[in-house]
Structure formats: C-alpha cells, structure tokens
Amino acid sequence: MLARIASAAVLGIDAYLVDVETDIANGLPSFVTVGLPQGAVKEGRERVNAAIHNAGFTFPLKRITVNLAPADVRKDGSAFDLPIALGVLMATEQIKPGALAGYAVLGELGLDGEIRPVRGALSMAVAARQAGLAGVILPAANVREAAVVAGLDVRGAATLGQVLAHLDGGPPLPRAEVDVEALFAAHVAADVDFAEVKGQEHAKRALEVAAAGGHNILMVGPPGGGKTMLARRLPTILPEMSLAEALETTKIHSVAGLLAPGESLIAVRPFRSPHHTISDAGLIGGGSYPRPGEVSVAHNGVLFLDELPEFRANVLEALRQPLEDGTVTISRAATSLSYPARFMMAAAMNPCPCGYYGDSARSCPCGPLLVQRYRSRLSGPLLDRIDMHIDVPAVRYRELAAERGGEPSAAIRERCARARAVQRDRFAARTGIFANAHMAPRDIRAHCALTSAADGLLRTAIARLSLSARAYHRVLKLARTIADLAGAARIEPAHVSEAIQYRSLDRLAR
C-alpha cells in the first residue's frame, strides 16, 4: 500500500515542500530511502524502527521504499523521521488513511518515540502556509517559532504516541498561538544604554549618524577609550525591527541552530562580535552543505569586529561582497546558496601595535614604519567600504568622575527613527534600499542635491584628500544622512563639513 504525507526541507533560509511517499510491498525485509537523502536522513530508518516499536505499534517486516519528492534536490537533516514513521503506519493501515490531509509533518524521533526539535521550523511553516496547507504538526519545542506564521494551524507533540492518539480520535494536540505584538513589547528594554557612556561626545554623534543612515563605522583609539562600550550600545539606538525584518532574522537564526529553547521570534536587532581568530568560513559561511556565517547571523543588526587589523587578511577581504551587496553567495560542488547579509559593520582598532600612537599622556615606542605596517593590514578597498572612520581618544578624568551621564538611548533612537522614516519614504519605489547607506550611484544623483556652497566645499576636499570615487560617494551618503537628521531637504556646507570629518583615515593618509 502507498501512503503520502507532506513535509518540508530547508534550502538556504527558505523552505520547500517535500512529499514523503511510503510504499510497502511483499518481499525480503528492507528499508530504502530514495530522493537524494543525506547522512541524517538515511540514518532515520533506524530511529523510525525503534520509535514505532517503543510506541507500541508493529514495524512491518516487508520491503519498504520511501521516496522524498522532488527527487532531484538534496535532502538533509532529521526532520523527516516523523513523517516517515507516520507513512509506514499509514501504509500498513495502523492509522487511518487521509488523517493528515492538509497538514505538513516534521520532527526528529528519539529511539523511545520522543519528538525532538529541528532547525528551520519557521521557514518550513512559511512554506506550508504559502502552499495553502491548513497547518503543521511538529515538535513541541518548535511550536512557538512556527506559530508566528499567521493563518496556520500549528500543533506540537512531545512524543510519537501523542501524534498517534490525536490521529486516532484521542486527546487532540494543543494548538499553539503567539501574540506577536507582545513579543515585540517584551524586548523593548535593553540591558545597556548610551546614558552610561561618559564623554566621547564626538563618537556618540558619529554613531547616531551611522545608525540613522545604516552606515558602517570604524573607531580608532587607544585601549580603554570606550570603543567596545560604544559598539555594544549601537543596537539600542537603531530603529525597532519591523515584523518582516524579524521574520527574516529569525529564519536565519533557526537554520543556524541559534534560537534559544522556546524562543519564537528575534524581536531585537542582533549583535554579533566574533573573535579575531575566526576563519573565513565562520565569518562568511561555508561547509560541504553551506551554512550561514556571522555576516548572515548579524543580518538586520550589527557585526562588531574588535581589533580589526588582527583578523587574517583573507577573512577581511571576504567581507567585500557582503558589505557591497548585502548578500553572500557560497558555492560548493553540491549546490550554491545565497544568504542575506545586510548588516551594519562596527569595527575598532588601535592606532598602532602598542595602542598609544598620538596619545598625549603616554609615549609610543612604535616608529612611523611600524605604525604604517600595522595600518596597512587594512586594504584600501576594504576601508573604502567603511563609510565612517572616527577617532576615539582616551576619556579624561573630569568626564569619568562626572555624576551626570550622557543622553539616553531612547532619545537618540527617536531621532534615528525619524531620519529612517524619511529615507523609507524616499526609497519607497526602490526594491532592496531602506537607508542612505544602500544608495546606488543613480540614487545619489537623484537624492543628494548640494547647494552651490556645499558643492564648492566638497570639490576642494576631494582635490586635497585625493579621495577615490567610492569615498566620494560615501561622503555624499553621509552628508545626506546628516541633512535628514537636521530635517533639511538639500545638503548644506555644514552637512558636507561634518561628513568629511568622519573620514579621518583619508585625512591621515595625506
């Protein structure tokens, strides 16, 4: 007899439906899975056999063939255990045929019949909804994640026995529901705040400009100046995530296996801070079957690279594509996958190996040649892709001892949100552009109108600093963001002047 049950598999961060077809025929006992199954899928036959026996049902000693359609797409993961087990029981008429009509099923089985969580549950629930299915049956640990998808009947089970009882008219599996607005409200408060940062007014202003326009930023200063402290508070001044951004971010975290148990939605912007010993595959993504790297996990959030020159050269150069395109493509012999990687990069570095070059309070033993060699670890093309280079000097005692802190994150975030709202309206007709940092040359020509005085100032600065074409465009984008924060329609000389100040490494190079 033949049984057919709907399931799903993940490809990149999205999912597609898979028909799990189970045929049982007379012949020597065997269990064959076809349809390009990979390691975990092939091993599932042993888990299915043990789980069915331990649930009190009979595993047939016949020829069993399981086909995962479409058969020309590689299948990976353990999510097919549950639909295969149910297909075996349905094909042997131990459960009613058609009991799962309109439902997708996924879950990993333990030998005792326990249903364990799987990766990518949100993506698979979205695929089921888009295919017009009524609902999904999946592990109890994944129900809150899948229940974020509106209009889908999501039911979770902890054991195979619970699913079989539900299908046989016994106690129904509980339906999961999630209040999305409550999830966003629960993540409003942050553990850190800009009010805790004393001094560094120039750096805080620069971070506000960066957050308002989605610009990448590099902070240069001595140890203990507060670069890491400032970077960790950058997500608190970014505009709140939209539901679409939260869903896309949650998909990535789910596929990467980074969702905490019981977590249903990533409602705050991610902050990722990999160590400088990370490999290019860890940062960009990779593996025989490509997995998302740190640049994708930081999507819609902040990627902080501390001690930037200490990262290996090949790792830093691999950042060029995601910084420019907002996506990363990983090609392997088996497949080629693209992952979103639209993040804000915040980086920090010392001015020299010892960290005290140019410090008035401490002497620096590094000579000019050593300083130049240290800074040359960052290539020109990489620096051109970082919109802002700012100096973060040591904080003076008078500022540290002051009782009054700085401006709170909520006030800064409100200004950034207003500037982002202007940008959303500006780029409403453009696809894939949400902030000034994402503008293409044609957008710069259309939206970065300069007054005559501002144009003259920029022409002089370009000539004296010998800025590249990419750096010229970066200055225009920064000036547009500064004008948006000021509520100005045209870019004035003051906006251009401030934007040029945020290219400190270009000035030092002359």
Side-chain angles (χ1 to χ4, degrees), residues 108-451:
E108 176 186 331
L109 288 175
L111 299 184
D112 59 351
E114 177 189 5
I115 302 178
R116 295 170 178 166
V118 296
R119 294 183 178 186
L122 175 58
S123 300
M124 291 187 260
V126 171
R129 181 70 183 89
Q130 291 174 343
L133 296 182
V136 293
I137 296 176
L138 72 172
N142 292 123
V143 291
R144 287 181 55 81
E145 178 186 343
V148 173
V149 182
L152 194 67
D153 182 17
V154 178
R155 302 193 179 254
T159 66
L160 176 60
Q162 291 180 359
V163 178
L164 298 176
H166 167 80
L167 298 177
D168 198 35
L173 295 174
R175 180 173 183 174
E177 295 182 355
V178 170
D179 187 343
V180 176
E181 293 183 2
L183 290 176
F184 277 96
H187 291 86
V188 170
D191 296 333
V192 295
D193 197 281
F194 259 87
E196 301 160 352
V197 182
K198 297 182 179 180
Q200 302 294 12
E201 298 305 322
H202 173 68
K204 287 189 281 190
R205 167 63 179 175
L207 287 173
E208 178 180 342
V209 173
H215 302 286
N216 303 316
I217 185 168
L218 171 62
M219 295 175 282
V220 184
K227 302 185 294 295
T228 301
M229 187 178 188
L230 287 164
R232 291 192 179 280
R233 283 152 182 77
L234 181 55
T236 66
I237 64 174
L238 291 173
E240 295 181 2
M241 294 180 76
S242 65
L243 179 58
E245 288 177 318
L247 287 173
E248 191 173 35
T249 304
T250 306
K251 280 183 180 181
I252 298 171
H253 283 242
S254 178
V255 170
L258 297 176
L259 277 186
E263 189 172 13
S264 56
L265 192 70
I266 303 293
V268 295
R269 297 192 180 275
F271 179 87
R272 305 293 298 181
S273 180
H275 193 261
H276 64 260
T277 57
I278 191 171
S279 66
D280 52 355
L283 187 65
I284 303 301
S288 57
Y289 190 76
R291 295 285 186 183
E294 290 289 338
V295 296
S296 296
V297 177
H299 181 63
N300 291 323
V302 176
L303 177 68
F304 177 50
L305 303 180
D306 201 4
E307 303 296 343
L308 187 63
E310 302 300 331
F311 285 79
R312 290 194 290 271
N314 65 308
V315 174
L316 292 179
E317 296 310 308
L319 283 171
R320 291 192 192 183
Q321 184 202 0
L323 284 175
E324 194 73 19
D325 301 335
T327 61
V328 58
T329 302
I330 308 168
S331 297
R332 295 292 183 268
T335 186
S336 178
L337 295 177
S338 293
Y339 290 106
R342 182 72 75 185
F343 57 89
M344 271 188 64
M345 189 179 91
M349 63 177 285
N350 295 328
C352 67
C354 78
Y356 297 105
Y357 180 77
D359 194 318
S360 58
R362 298 197 183 193
S363 61
C364 172
C366 308
L369 182 61
L370 191 58
V371 173
Q372 179 60 30
R373 186 181 303 161
Y374 179 74
R375 293 186 176 180
S376 66
R377 295 179 186 177
L378 306 180
S379 67
L382 178 63
L383 288 177
D384 272 351
R385 286 169 169 80
I386 301 177
D387 300 353
M388 308 174 70
H389 318 144
I390 65 167
D391 294 319
V392 183
V395 183
R396 294 172 294 183
Y397 174 78
R398 181 175 57 190
E399 296 170 331
L400 282 174
E403 294 184 3
R404 185 176 178 181
E407 190 176 18
S409 294
I412 304 174
R413 182 173 61 243
E414 185 177 350
R415 294 196 295 269
C416 293
R418 285 200 299 266
R420 285 287 185 103
V422 171
Q423 294 164 47
R424 281 196 303 272
D425 293 340
R426 177 182 298 142
F427 305 124
R430 294 275 280 124
T431 302
I433 296 183
F434 310 102
N436 289 332
H438 309 153
M439 285 193 289
R442 65 168 176 164
D443 301 303
I444 294 175
R445 289 193 299 271
H447 303 297
C448 295
L450 300 169
T451 63

Side-chain angles (χ1 to χ4, degrees), residues 51-67:
I52 289 177
H53 277 300
N54 291 322
F57 285 76
T58 302
F59 187 85
L61 296 177
K62 294 186 177 183
R63 182 183 177 188
I64 303 173
T65 304
V66 177
N67 179 43

Side-chain angles (χ1 to χ4, degrees), residues 380 384 457-473 475 500 503 505-510:
D384 272 351
L457 175 61
L458 183 56
R459 186 184 302 112
T460 301
I462 294 296
R464 290 186 178 179
L465 298 177
S466 300
L467 297 182
S468 67
R470 185 179 281 113
Y472 164 73
H473 287 150
V475 171
I500 293 171
R503 302 289 300 183
L505 294 184
D506 291 330
R507 300 198 306 272
L508 289 174
R510 307 297 163 217

